[in-house]
């Protein structure tokens, strides 16, 4: 296991989080490892995205959707009582307050709008806990598209409410019965299905993973988190730029979007993973779902199953740009246990009146630990992205009370 030391040198600025190099490379990670027909489909998505992202008309349409449908901009909330207790100044970027309750909607509205621009009539998506599936079903309904969501049979049993929400929104939910019947298998199945449907369907990936251009495109659609937070911090923080910027990491989309707003500043970037899903902190080089990155593997190089109390962190790898940021030393990746995350969720609920998603509670658990052991010096200003609200996790919280 690699132990990443705290920063001893000035934080390197401005070297990261622009466009990837040729063929979607972030350092030695990324790429487009897909069957021939998907390579062509990815090339079309890449071309369409580049055009759209350079088009003020597309940007304007997306900004308007994010404002009138998703509730952006989201507030920056000072966590006053918790800050007093911890001896740091903690600010929360409130993605939990978006429509559908997590940052996933930012990416999905972008991709759904891109799909209509490409003349596609259907969205294909994978989902684990169902958050990305619900966001995709929501965007599809809004823009008059069909939605087909692949979901592992085990997750369908565990996440009945989100399955119902997707069906209520008019999406087709396809049970995946292969392998461990969870997110990894649902993603494989969705990609397989896309092979036969590239002409009329867009594959809407839910995080900064998968073949090029997805890791880059999804980060750009999530950049709105970091860009808004940057301006809000400039207006409201004593230090202008926060000393630390913290976010939880599953595949890494809310963290990438947040980090993108601060990559050129002196802020120290911290990604917090689940102990049982620590692709960036503990993974090894491999290829999965069309992308070269860091994955949890056994001694034979087989990708192993992730285990986290937070379904959104239950992915055995991490997006290629995070692997690269880790190698550069621009971001640091740390891990938190299930129990620490549960404790942090209860603490936030009772100190600030906010019930966080279990995923987001991982980021807070690190802040609490680091404020205690001096990793976060007293008086530091900390921006933390609260990626989602905890309603979906009530059955887990119930066990605690
Ligand atoms: C899906 C999800 C995550 C993890 O996904 P990233 O791509 O790492 O952001 C984190 N928090 C919430 C609330 C989620 O729904």
């Amino acid at each position: 296991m690699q132990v990443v030391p705290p920063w001893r040198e000035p934080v390197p600025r401005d070297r990261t989080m622009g466009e990837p190099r040729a063929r979607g490379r972030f350092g030695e990670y990324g790429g487009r490892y897909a069957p021939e027909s998907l390579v062509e489909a990815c090339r079309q998505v890449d071309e369409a995205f580049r055009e759209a992202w350079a088009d003020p008309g597309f940007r304007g349409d997306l900004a308007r959707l994010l404002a009138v449908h998703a509730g952006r901009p989201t507030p920056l909330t000072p966590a006053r009582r918790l800050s007093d207790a911890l001896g740091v100044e903690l600010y929360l970027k409130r993605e939990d307050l978006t429509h559908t309750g997590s940052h996933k909607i930012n990416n999905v509205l972008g991709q759904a709008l891109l799909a209509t621009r490409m003349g596609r009539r259907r969205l294909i998506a994978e989902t684990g806990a169902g958050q990305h599936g619900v966001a995709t079903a929501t965007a599809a309904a809004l823009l008059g598209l069909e939605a087909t969501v692949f979901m592992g049979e085990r997750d369908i049993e565990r996440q009945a409410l989100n399955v119902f929400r997707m069906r209520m929104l008019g999406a087709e939910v396809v049970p995946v019965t292969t392998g461990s019947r969870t997110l990894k298998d649902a993603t494989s199945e969705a990609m397989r299905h896309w092979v036969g449907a590239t002409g009329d369907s867009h594959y809407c990936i839910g995080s900064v993973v998968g073949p090029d251009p997805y890791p880059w495109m999804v980060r750009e659609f999530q950049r709105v988190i970091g860009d808004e937070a940057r301006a809000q911090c400039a207006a409201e923080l004593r230090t202008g730029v926060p000393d630390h910027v913290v976010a939880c990491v599953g595949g890494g989309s809310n963290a990438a979007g947040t980090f993108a707003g601060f990559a050129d500043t002196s802020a120290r970037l911290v990604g917090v993973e689940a102990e049982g899903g620590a692709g960036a902190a503990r993974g090894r080089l491999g290829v999965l779902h069309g992308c070269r990155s860091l994955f949890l593997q056994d001694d034979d190089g087989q990708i192993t199953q992730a285990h986290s109390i937070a379904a959104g962190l239950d992915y055995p790898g991490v997006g290629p740009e995070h692997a690269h940021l880790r190698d550069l030393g621009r971001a640091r990746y740390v891990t938190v246990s299930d129990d620490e995350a549960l404790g942090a969720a209860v603490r936030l609920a009772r100190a600030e009146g906010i019930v966080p998603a279990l995923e987001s509670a991982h980021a807070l658990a690190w802040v609490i630990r680091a404020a205690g052991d001096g990793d976060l010096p007293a008086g530091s200003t900390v921006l933390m992205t609260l990626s989602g609200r905890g309603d979906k996790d009530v059955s887990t919280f119930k066990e605690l009370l």
Side-chain angles (χ1 to χ4, degrees):
M1 182 180 50
Q2 181 174 344
V3 178
V4 184
W7 294 269
R8 291 197 195 85
E9 296 146 25
V11 174
R13 300 188 192 196
D14 229 353
R15 282 159 53 192
T16 51
M17 308 206 82
E19 264 188 52
R21 290 190 293 117
R23 299 187 308 283
R25 293 289 179 178
F26 299 95
E28 62 174 316
Y29 309 102
R32 201 178 276 168
Y33 295 87
E36 201 62 36
S37 59
L38 290 194
V39 168
E40 172 55 21
C42 289
R43 198 197 56 71
Q44 289 175 16
V45 174
D46 185 57
E47 189 180 291
F49 174 65
R50 282 172 190 279
E51 259 179 40
W53 214 223
D55 174 2
F58 180 87
R59 295 257 191 163
D61 288 348
L62 181 56
R64 189 180 44 80
L65 276 184
L66 289 170
V68 303
H69 197 73
R72 303 210 73 90
T74 59
L76 184 72
T77 302
R80 293 202 198 285
R81 287 182 358 102
L82 200 53
S83 293
D84 284 350
L86 297 175
V88 299
E89 287 179 45
L90 175 62
Y91 294 81
L92 306 172
K93 180 60 176 160
R94 300 290 306 279
E95 296 304 294
D96 61 314
L97 293 179
T98 57
H99 180 47
T100 69
S102 85
H103 67 289
K104 298 251 166 42
I105 195 76
N106 305 326
N107 165 46
V108 156
L109 285 177
Q111 288 200 49
L113 204 57
L114 185 69
T116 56
R117 188 177 165 108
M118 294 175 76
R120 306 291 188 251
R121 58 171 190 81
R122 186 169 68 124
L123 299 178
I124 300 168
E126 79 294 335
T127 199
Q131 293 297 101
H132 176 58
V134 168
T136 302
T138 299
L142 177 68
L143 296 179
L145 300 165
E146 291 170 33
T148 306
V149 181
F150 290 83
M151 189 168 185
E153 213 171 37
R154 275 192 61 207
D155 290 331
I156 287 182
E157 287 160 18
R158 292 190 290 187
Q159 305 290 339
L161 179 61
N162 276 342
V163 174
F164 174 76
R165 288 168 81 194
M166 286 184 263
R167 292 190 168 137
M168 175 81 189
L169 290 158
E172 179 193 12
V173 180
V174 181
V176 174
T177 55
T178 50
S180 57
R181 296 175 292 136
T182 58
L183 176 60
K184 177 158 81 69
D185 313 287
T187 307
S188 305
E189 202 52 42
M191 289 184 85
R192 230 184 326 268
H193 179 78
W194 194 32
V195 171
T198 52
D200 71 346
S201 302
H202 173 75
Y203 180 23
C204 181
I205 297 186
S207 189
V208 287
V209 299
D212 175 59
Y214 285 94
W216 173 53
M217 176 170 72
V218 175
R219 181 251 281 165
E220 287 299 287
F221 285 141
Q222 293 293 1
R223 172 186 283 278
V224 65
I225 305 172
D227 286 346
E228 279 179 15
R230 174 81 173 266
Q232 290 167 321
C233 287
E236 293 169 39
L237 261 63
R238 176 174 57 75
T239 51
V241 166
D243 299 321
H244 287 78
V245 172
V246 186
C248 67
V249 174
S253 67
N254 87 88
T258 306
F259 292 176
F262 296 90
D264 64 339
T265 72
S266 58
R268 290 165 177 198
L269 310 178
V270 182
V272 185
E273 299 187 292
E275 226 154 56
R282 300 211 185 113
R284 285 187 289 135
L285 193 60
V287 173
L288 181 69
H289 299 144
C291 167
R292 191 163 192 245
S293 192
L294 298 171
F295 298 98
L296 300 177
Q297 300 170 49
D298 65 19
D299 291 339
D300 298 326
Q302 290 290 322
I303 310 274
T304 55
Q305 180 68 22
H307 291 287
S308 169
I309 196 168
L313 305 185
D314 228 343
Y315 188 72
V318 71
E321 191 169 27
H322 286 293
H324 184 49
L325 290 172
R326 184 198 78 161
D327 285 3
L328 289 175
R330 180 63 189 92
R332 195 178 149 204
Y333 295 85
V334 296
T335 64
V336 151
S337 71
D338 287 355
D339 285 346
E340 285 179 295
L342 282 167
V346 174
R347 194 142 175 210
L348 186 68
R350 296 182 180 181
E352 303 293 340
I354 299 168
V355 177
L358 270 170
E359 291 82 2
S360 326
H362 282 71
L364 182 65
W366 179 79
V367 171
I368 291 170
R369 189 210 295 156
D373 68 14
D375 211 355
L376 272 177
S380 305
T381 50
V382 181
L383 169 75
M384 190 198 105
T385 296
L386 194 73
S387 55
R389 64 177 185 230
D391 306 42
K392 68 183 178 56
D393 298 315
V394 285
S395 63
T396 310
F397 294 140
K398 227 161 43 186
E399 312 279 306
L400 287 175
L401 308 177

PDB file of all heavy atoms in Angstrom, residues 274 307-312 314 337-339 341-342 358-359 362 393 396:
ATOM      1  N   ALA A 274     -13.945   5.025   0.415  1.00  0.00           N
ATOM      2  CA  ALA A 274     -14.343   4.022   1.398  1.00  0.00           C
ATOM      3  C   ALA A 274     -13.197   3.028   1.539  1.00  0.00           C
ATOM      4  O   ALA A 274     -12.525   2.703   0.556  1.00  0.00           O
ATOM      5  CB  ALA A 274     -15.601   3.302   0.924  1.00  0.00           C
ATOM      6  N   HIS A 307     -16.490  -3.229  -1.278  1.00  0.00           N
ATOM      7  CA  HIS A 307     -17.480  -3.336  -0.201  1.00  0.00           C
ATOM      8  C   HIS A 307     -17.528  -2.033   0.559  1.00  0.00           C
ATOM      9  O   HIS A 307     -16.554  -1.630   1.179  1.00  0.00           O
ATOM     10  CB  HIS A 307     -17.104  -4.444   0.783  1.00  0.00           C
ATOM     11  CG  HIS A 307     -17.223  -5.802   0.188  1.00  0.00           C
ATOM     12  ND1 HIS A 307     -18.432  -6.394  -0.070  1.00  0.00           N
ATOM     13  CD2 HIS A 307     -16.287  -6.672  -0.253  1.00  0.00           C
ATOM     14  CE1 HIS A 307     -18.237  -7.586  -0.632  1.00  0.00           C
ATOM     15  NE2 HIS A 307     -16.938  -7.765  -0.747  1.00  0.00           N
ATOM     16  N   SER A 308     -18.668  -1.361   0.505  1.00  0.00           N
ATOM     17  CA  SER A 308     -18.825  -0.155   1.316  1.00  0.00           C
ATOM     18  C   SER A 308     -20.264  -0.053   1.754  1.00  0.00           C
ATOM     19  O   SER A 308     -21.185  -0.462   1.033  1.00  0.00           O
ATOM     20  CB  SER A 308     -18.448   1.087   0.508  1.00  0.00           C
ATOM     21  OG  SER A 308     -18.840   2.252   1.211  1.00  0.00           O
ATOM     22  N   ILE A 309     -20.452   0.536   2.931  1.00  0.00           N
ATOM     23  CA  ILE A 309     -21.792   0.790   3.431  1.00  0.00           C
ATOM     24  C   ILE A 309     -22.503   1.804   2.533  1.00  0.00           C
ATOM     25  O   ILE A 309     -23.724   1.839   2.457  1.00  0.00           O
ATOM     26  CB  ILE A 309     -21.705   1.287   4.889  1.00  0.00           C
ATOM     27  CG1 ILE A 309     -23.050   1.195   5.570  1.00  0.00           C
ATOM     28  CG2 ILE A 309     -21.148   2.709   4.963  1.00  0.00           C
ATOM     29  CD1 ILE A 309     -22.953   1.382   7.067  1.00  0.00           C
ATOM     30  N   ALA A 310     -21.720   2.606   1.800  1.00  0.00           N
ATOM     31  CA  ALA A 310     -22.279   3.602   0.879  1.00  0.00           C
ATOM     32  C   ALA A 310     -22.268   3.018  -0.531  1.00  0.00           C
ATOM     33  O   ALA A 310     -21.212   2.818  -1.123  1.00  0.00           O
ATOM     34  CB  ALA A 310     -21.467   4.884   0.922  1.00  0.00           C
ATOM     35  N   ALA A 311     -23.453   2.731  -1.064  1.00  0.00           N
ATOM     36  CA  ALA A 311     -23.543   2.052  -2.356  1.00  0.00           C
ATOM     37  C   ALA A 311     -22.829   2.837  -3.457  1.00  0.00           C
ATOM     38  O   ALA A 311     -22.252   2.255  -4.368  1.00  0.00           O
ATOM     39  CB  ALA A 311     -25.009   1.833  -2.719  1.00  0.00           C
ATOM     40  N   GLY A 312     -22.825   4.171  -3.360  1.00  0.00           N
ATOM     41  CA  GLY A 312     -22.199   4.996  -4.392  1.00  0.00           C
ATOM     42  C   GLY A 312     -20.674   4.934  -4.372  1.00  0.00           C
ATOM     43  O   GLY A 312     -20.013   5.430  -5.284  1.00  0.00           O
ATOM     44  N   ASP A 314     -19.184   1.962  -3.870  1.00  0.00           N
ATOM     45  CA  ASP A 314     -18.985   0.525  -4.026  1.00  0.00           C
ATOM     46  C   ASP A 314     -18.452   0.177  -5.408  1.00  0.00           C
ATOM     47  O   ASP A 314     -18.983  -0.693  -6.076  1.00  0.00           O
ATOM     48  CB  ASP A 314     -20.343  -0.172  -3.820  1.00  0.00           C
ATOM     49  CG  ASP A 314     -20.220  -1.344  -2.872  1.00  0.00           C
ATOM     50  OD1 ASP A 314     -19.100  -1.791  -2.652  1.00  0.00           O
ATOM     51  OD2 ASP A 314     -21.261  -1.805  -2.381  1.00  0.00           O
ATOM     52  N   SER A 337     -13.495   4.366   7.284  1.00  0.00           N
ATOM     53  CA  SER A 337     -14.239   3.119   7.495  1.00  0.00           C
ATOM     54  C   SER A 337     -15.750   3.370   7.506  1.00  0.00           C
ATOM     55  O   SER A 337     -16.205   4.508   7.665  1.00  0.00           O
ATOM     56  CB  SER A 337     -13.820   2.484   8.830  1.00  0.00           C
ATOM     57  OG  SER A 337     -14.326   3.275   9.899  1.00  0.00           O
ATOM     58  N   ASP A 338     -16.514   2.294   7.355  1.00  0.00           N
ATOM     59  CA  ASP A 338     -17.978   2.392   7.434  1.00  0.00           C
ATOM     60  C   ASP A 338     -18.411   3.061   8.739  1.00  0.00           C
ATOM     61  O   ASP A 338     -19.286   3.937   8.743  1.00  0.00           O
ATOM     62  CB  ASP A 338     -18.598   0.983   7.396  1.00  0.00           C
ATOM     63  CG  ASP A 338     -18.531   0.334   6.015  1.00  0.00           C
ATOM     64  OD1 ASP A 338     -18.100   0.997   5.054  1.00  0.00           O
ATOM     65  OD2 ASP A 338     -18.910  -0.848   5.922  1.00  0.00           O
ATOM     66  N   ASP A 339     -17.806   2.641   9.852  1.00  0.00           N
ATOM     67  CA  ASP A 339     -18.223   3.182  11.155  1.00  0.00           C
ATOM     68  C   ASP A 339     -17.929   4.670  11.288  1.00  0.00           C
ATOM     69  O   ASP A 339     -18.721   5.431  11.841  1.00  0.00           O
ATOM     70  CB  ASP A 339     -17.532   2.422  12.296  1.00  0.00           C
ATOM     71  CG  ASP A 339     -18.157   1.048  12.503  1.00  0.00           C
ATOM     72  OD1 ASP A 339     -19.259   0.821  11.951  1.00  0.00           O
ATOM     73  OD2 ASP A 339     -17.548   0.213  13.198  1.00  0.00           O
ATOM     74  N   ALA A 341     -17.866   6.787   8.878  1.00  0.00           N
ATOM     75  CA  ALA A 341     -18.825   7.501   8.030  1.00  0.00           C
ATOM     76  C   ALA A 341     -20.187   7.604   8.715  1.00  0.00           C
ATOM     77  O   ALA A 341     -20.828   8.663   8.704  1.00  0.00           O
ATOM     78  CB  ALA A 341     -18.957   6.798   6.678  1.00  0.00           C
ATOM     79  N   LEU A 342     -20.614   6.506   9.330  1.00  0.00           N
ATOM     80  CA  LEU A 342     -21.900   6.534  10.043  1.00  0.00           C
ATOM     81  C   LEU A 342     -21.867   7.551  11.177  1.00  0.00           C
ATOM     82  O   LEU A 342     -22.809   8.330  11.370  1.00  0.00           O
ATOM     83  CB  LEU A 342     -22.212   5.141  10.608  1.00  0.00           C
ATOM     84  CG  LEU A 342     -22.736   4.124   9.599  1.00  0.00           C
ATOM     85  CD1 LEU A 342     -22.701   2.716  10.203  1.00  0.00           C
ATOM     86  CD2 LEU A 342     -24.157   4.469   9.156  1.00  0.00           C
ATOM     87  N   LEU A 358     -24.631   8.758   2.792  1.00  0.00           N
ATOM     88  CA  LEU A 358     -23.503   8.043   3.407  1.00  0.00           C
ATOM     89  C   LEU A 358     -22.202   8.270   2.645  1.00  0.00           C
ATOM     90  O   LEU A 358     -21.125   8.286   3.231  1.00  0.00           O
ATOM     91  CB  LEU A 358     -23.819   6.548   3.460  1.00  0.00           C
ATOM     92  CG  LEU A 358     -24.523   6.124   4.739  1.00  0.00           C
ATOM     93  CD1 LEU A 358     -25.024   4.698   4.608  1.00  0.00           C
ATOM     94  CD2 LEU A 358     -23.591   6.251   5.935  1.00  0.00           C
ATOM     95  N   GLU A 359     -22.309   8.459   1.320  1.00  0.00           N
ATOM     96  CA  GLU A 359     -21.108   8.744   0.519  1.00  0.00           C
ATOM     97  C   GLU A 359     -20.467  10.041   1.024  1.00  0.00           C
ATOM     98  O   GLU A 359     -19.276  10.093   1.337  1.00  0.00           O
ATOM     99  CB  GLU A 359     -21.476   8.889  -0.969  1.00  0.00           C
ATOM    100  CG  GLU A 359     -21.917   7.603  -1.645  1.00  0.00           C
ATOM    101  CD  GLU A 359     -23.380   7.270  -1.394  1.00  0.00           C
ATOM    102  OE1 GLU A 359     -24.077   8.059  -0.714  1.00  0.00           O
ATOM    103  OE2 GLU A 359     -23.834   6.208  -1.866  1.00  0.00           O
ATOM    104  N   HIS A 362     -18.497  10.195   4.232  1.00  0.00           N
ATOM    105  CA  HIS A 362     -17.086   9.778   4.218  1.00  0.00           C
ATOM    106  C   HIS A 362     -16.161  10.988   4.187  1.00  0.00           C
ATOM    107  O   HIS A 362     -15.144  11.023   4.874  1.00  0.00           O
ATOM    108  CB  HIS A 362     -16.793   8.881   3.010  1.00  0.00           C
ATOM    109  CG  HIS A 362     -17.268   7.473   3.181  1.00  0.00           C
ATOM    110  ND1 HIS A 362     -18.608   7.140   3.180  1.00  0.00           N
ATOM    111  CD2 HIS A 362     -16.594   6.317   3.373  1.00  0.00           C
ATOM    112  CE1 HIS A 362     -18.725   5.841   3.370  1.00  0.00           C
ATOM    113  NE2 HIS A 362     -17.518   5.307   3.492  1.00  0.00           N
ATOM    114  N   ASP A 393     -30.643   6.575   2.520  1.00  0.00           N
ATOM    115  CA  ASP A 393     -29.892   5.738   3.460  1.00  0.00           C
ATOM    116  C   ASP A 393     -30.614   5.519   4.791  1.00  0.00           C
ATOM    117  O   ASP A 393     -30.018   4.986   5.725  1.00  0.00           O
ATOM    118  CB  ASP A 393     -28.524   6.378   3.730  1.00  0.00           C
ATOM    119  CG  ASP A 393     -27.690   6.464   2.456  1.00  0.00           C
ATOM    120  OD1 ASP A 393     -27.648   5.468   1.708  1.00  0.00           O
ATOM    121  OD2 ASP A 393     -27.103   7.528   2.197  1.00  0.00           O
ATOM    122  N   THR A 396     -30.324   2.206   6.606  1.00  0.00           N
ATOM    123  CA  THR A 396     -29.027   1.969   7.240  1.00  0.00           C
ATOM    124  C   THR A 396     -28.916   2.749   8.543  1.00  0.00           C
ATOM    125  O   THR A 396     -28.463   2.241   9.564  1.00  0.00           O
ATOM    126  CB  THR A 396     -27.880   2.379   6.294  1.00  0.00           C
ATOM    127  OG1 THR A 396     -28.092   1.775   5.027  1.00  0.00           O
ATOM    128  CG2 THR A 396     -26.538   1.956   6.846  1.00  0.00           C
TER     129      THR A 396
END
